Amino acid sequence: MANVDTRIEGHAHPNPSAHDHHDEHGSHGSMREYVVGFLLSVVLTAIPFWLVMSGAIPDKQTTALVIMAFAAVQIVVHMIYFLHMNTKSENGWTVMALILTIVLVVITLSGSLWVMYHLNTNMMPMTAHEMGQLP
């Protein structure tokens, strides 16, 4: 049999036949991490719901921006606590996925706001005076 070098990063591995999947694929999370992620998700959902239902912010545009900010933070919370994305796992590929997700979220949110604004502006109901001038 050939002698197998069982050292990983300068330390002898206690079990030469075992593979260290933790470094390769990242952690799978603990119960504490899942509970923290769940609680953060609940809070990040409840606050925007309360803001809308109570009318705490009188300006609708400001309310929409605040809700979008909470949504973006919640996406990051889900990616960290439930998808276990970090810079150490899978040689940094999860960071690339994070960057792609952020870019797609920004495009989706800004595009949605742009479409809703223009629909609201261009499809306002006509007054009786304007309807009388139609051919």
Side-chain angles (χ1 to χ4, degrees), residues 17-39:
S17 63
H19 297 287
D20 192 7
H21 292 292
H22 179 73
D23 289 339
E24 249 177 68
H25 302 291
S27 71
H28 294 289
S30 65
M31 180 60 88
R32 180 179 180 272
E33 289 177 349
Y34 284 118
V35 170
V36 169
F38 174 73
L39 292 175

Side-chain angles (χ1 to χ4, degrees), residues 78-128:
H78 282 251
M79 291 174 66
I80 291 171
Y81 286 98
F82 300 121
L83 297 177
H84 313 294
M85 295 182 128
N86 58 36
T87 57
K88 297 173 185 137
S89 62
E90 299 184 22
N91 296 326
W93 279 104
T94 55
V95 174
M96 296 300 287
L98 173 67
I99 292 169
L100 175 65
T101 301
I102 290 170
V103 168
L104 291 176
V105 165
V106 167
I107 290 170
T108 303
L109 291 176
S110 60
S112 297
L113 286 176
W114 182 77
V115 167
M116 288 187 288
Y117 172 79
H118 284 283
L119 282 175
N120 186 40
T121 303
N122 296 326
M123 298 190 75
M124 292 296 293
M126 291 189 225
T127 62

Side-chain angles (χ1 to χ4, degrees), residues 1-81:
M1 289 220 136
N3 186 6
V4 178
D5 186 13
T6 59
R7 292 197 286 163
I8 297 174
E9 296 180 16
H11 301 289
H13 198 282
N15 185 356
S17 63
H19 297 287
D20 192 7
H21 292 292
H22 179 73
D23 289 339
E24 249 177 68
H25 302 291
S27 71
H28 294 289
S30 65
M31 180 60 88
R32 180 179 180 272
E33 289 177 349
Y34 284 118
V35 170
V36 169
F38 174 73
L39 292 175
L40 284 172
S41 297
V42 168
V43 169
L44 291 171
T45 300
I47 292 174
F49 182 79
W50 173 78
L51 286 173
V52 171
M53 295 305 290
S54 70
I57 302 175
D59 184 33
K60 291 181 181 180
Q61 291 177 344
T62 304
T63 304
L65 290 174
V66 169
I67 290 171
M68 283 190 356
F70 274 99
V73 170
Q74 191 169 95
I75 289 170
V76 173
V77 166
H78 282 251
M79 291 174 66
I80 291 171
Y81 286 98

